[in-house]
Amino acid sequence: MQRQRQLCTVKGVTDMPKSKYTDLKNVSDVVISTRIRFARNLREFPFPCRMNDEKKRRVAGIVKAAVLDGHSAISDRFSYIQMSELTQEEAVSLVERHLVSPEFISERQGRGLLLLDDESVSIMINEEDHVRIQVIGQGMKLDETFDLADKIDTLLDEQLDFAFNDKLGYLTQCPTNIGTGMRASLMLHLPALKESGAMGKISASLSKLGLVIRGIYGEGTEPSGAIYQLSNQVTLGISEREAINNLRDIAFQLVTQERNAREALSDNISVLDKIYRSYGILLYARLVSNEECMKLISNVRFGVEMGLFDNIDIDTINRLIVEIQPATLMKNVGKKLTAVERDHIRAELVRTAISQHKIPTSHRLEE
């Protein structure tokens, strides 16, 4: 008998006026990016935590050959990175760019990374599982991102013998990933919900619906700049499409609630003051720490979302969020920097990006 799908709702924001922003086809004001990740293991090898260096090298070689020597149209677009050969800054930058997990760089020996030239696809080898296929798309692109991840998974499955059980599905080191082995995530900017104090209730409600909301870099991290990751928790007894549809439905509810919360705060002078002060600091500051910059950029992005600034596009803000991170900053400069040097370059980078933009006349003080 076909399982009846239950409508889930997220509680936590109440008595908000109905938003005039009802368009759910374009939700880039809230949804920054989409990520689909598959966890897979080779049947003939123990999980990475039980492997010695020799077996890790063998697994890395097998997976590397399956990708680079495959017959896929994108095989020649992948490059292979031996994690042990990276500097600490290069490794941390991969985390800052959301290409690998923080855990993946904690112990780099025996681990490898296959990276597509546009960085939309990364394949971690010997993380918690033998293979972690990850595809990232900008904005809300759950279907497109899943389709690409699924195609890569299928291509690898043709060459690699993945551990699979007819009753349990894909076998993974962590029991919470058994089944589909899929984690679908959306990066969300929720400054109004955070400002209104609703995130605690929302987080509690989501856990009852099989989803989890975490910090900017996933499990074990705190939200920075009001940026959160919303992900599915259930992988057993549910199909990939069901998990994605559930995630999409809940995300749309959060988008609506965030937009409602923005409208409720649209004439709050304290909130507006915080946004404009943030813009002013970023426009004139010469030293900005990463922690402060994330808060300020988040506030400016909030202002862009509320229509307070002319011509500062969301894509510019999204790019800055990555480029200002400490390790990525040093990687792009090409040398190690002191904290003061990083703060100076970060301030200059952001100032250059937003200095050409003007505050609309309608928001300037009348004489």
Side-chain angles (χ1 to χ4, degrees):
M1 185 174 70
Q2 188 176 8
R3 182 185 303 171
Q4 186 176 2
R5 195 154 165 267
Q6 183 179 2
L7 178 63
C8 301
T9 58
V10 181
K11 298 180 180 180
V13 181
T14 58
D15 300 325
M16 294 255 179
K18 185 177 180 181
S19 175
K20 62 182 178 182
Y21 302 108
T22 58
D23 180 17
L24 291 178
K25 293 182 180 179
N26 181 10
V27 293
S28 60
D29 57 315
V30 178
V31 183
I32 298 174
S33 63
T34 302
R35 186 197 70 176
I36 300 292
R37 189 214 70 198
F38 289 132
R40 301 289 185 258
N41 288 280
L42 307 188
R43 187 184 299 275
E44 66 270 30
F45 290 91
F47 292 128
C49 66
R50 303 293 299 273
M51 291 197 305
N52 57 29
D53 290 344
E54 173 57 28
K55 287 185 177 178
K56 288 181 179 179
R57 283 193 291 270
R58 287 175 59 192
V59 168
I62 291 170
V63 177
K64 175 183 175 182
V67 174
L68 299 184
D69 300 335
H71 303 294
S72 163
I74 62 174
S75 291
D76 59 354
R77 293 177 54 196
F78 278 96
S79 59
Y80 180 75
I81 300 170
Q82 187 70 42
M83 293 300 297
S84 60
E85 297 178 357
L86 297 184
T87 65
Q88 180 66 11
E89 290 76 20
E90 289 171 333
V92 174
S93 177
L94 291 173
V95 176
E96 293 173 349
R97 285 141 60 201
H98 303 283
L99 301 177
V100 303
S101 65
E103 195 279 334
F104 188 62
I105 69 168
S106 62
E107 174 52 59
R108 303 202 297 272
Q109 193 63 39
R111 291 176 170 172
L113 177 69
L114 287 154
L115 188 61
L116 198 64
D117 51 12
D118 64 0
E119 298 190 346
S120 62
V121 180
S122 57
I123 302 174
M124 291 175 275
I125 305 174
N126 292 328
E127 195 226 33
E128 185 177 77
D129 297 288
H130 296 143
V131 180
R132 287 282 179 98
I133 303 166
Q134 177 178 281
V135 178
I136 295 177
Q138 298 305 308
M140 173 77 107
K141 293 184 179 178
L142 280 167
D143 292 327
E144 300 93 323
T145 306
F146 172 79
D147 288 343
L148 178 55
D150 187 50
K151 287 178 182 177
I152 295 172
D153 179 42
T154 300
L155 289 169
L156 288 180
D157 192 33
E158 293 174 353
Q159 302 182 62
L160 304 173
D161 186 13
F162 288 146
F164 184 85
N165 179 277
D166 290 337
K167 292 183 178 180
L168 296 176
Y170 289 100
L171 304 181
T172 57
Q173 180 174 310
C174 181
T176 60
N177 290 324
I178 288 176
T180 63
M182 185 192 77
R183 282 283 186 268
S185 304
L186 294 171
M187 194 82 73
L188 309 175
H189 187 225
L190 304 173
L193 288 176
K194 182 179 180 181
E195 182 74 25
S196 64
M199 290 309 301
K201 292 181 180 178
I202 288 175
S203 179
S205 297
L206 288 171
S207 65
K208 300 174 184 178
L209 302 175
L211 290 97
V212 62
I213 195 160
R214 294 170 170 147
I216 187 171
Y217 297 114
E219 187 174 1
T221 65
E222 296 296 323
S224 178
I227 297 175
Y228 299 83
Q229 271 195 32
L230 177 68
S231 308
N232 69 297
Q233 273 189 310
V234 180
T235 60
L236 187 62
I238 186 173
S239 71
E240 291 95 337
R241 288 294 183 185
E242 285 176 313
I244 285 175
N245 288 337
N246 187 41
L247 177 64
R248 189 195 335 268
D249 290 345
I250 300 302
F252 281 155
Q253 291 182 47
L254 286 175
V255 167
T256 300
Q257 291 184 352
E258 169 65 21
R259 289 171 172 175
N260 288 346
R262 290 175 193 168
E263 286 197 54
L265 296 172
S266 62
D267 58 354
N268 186 309
I269 191 63
S270 296
V271 172
L272 294 175
D273 181 70
K274 182 188 297 185
I275 291 172
Y276 284 121
R277 281 178 182 270
S278 297
Y279 177 86
I281 292 172
L282 291 177
L283 193 60
Y284 292 104
R286 264 47 185 177
L287 293 173
V288 186
S289 70
N290 184 62
E291 182 179 359
E292 180 187 18
C293 199
M294 284 294 290
K295 293 178 181 178
L296 298 174
I297 285 181
S298 173
N299 291 338
V300 171
R301 194 184 198 277
F302 191 9
V304 173
E305 294 157 357
M306 294 174 69
L308 302 181
F309 301 114
D310 281 343
N311 303 321
I312 303 180
D313 60 275
I314 293 293
D315 290 340
T316 297
I317 300 294
N318 293 345
R319 175 177 55 81
L320 286 173
I321 289 171
V322 175
E323 291 183 354
I324 65 168
Q325 301 304 316
T328 300
L329 203 63
M330 289 188 284
K331 173 186 173 293
N332 291 340
V333 171
K335 64 178 181 179
K336 286 192 174 184
L337 302 167
T338 66
V340 173
E341 287 173 332
R342 291 198 303 270
D343 292 351
H344 175 62
I345 293 175
R346 180 180 296 111
E348 184 178 7
L349 177 68
V350 176
R351 186 172 66 252
T352 300
I354 71 171
S355 61
Q356 57 184 315
H357 306 299
K358 304 298 183 183
I359 299 177
T361 304
S362 60
H363 295 288
R364 294 176 189 151
L365 292 176
E366 299 284 341
E367 290 189 353

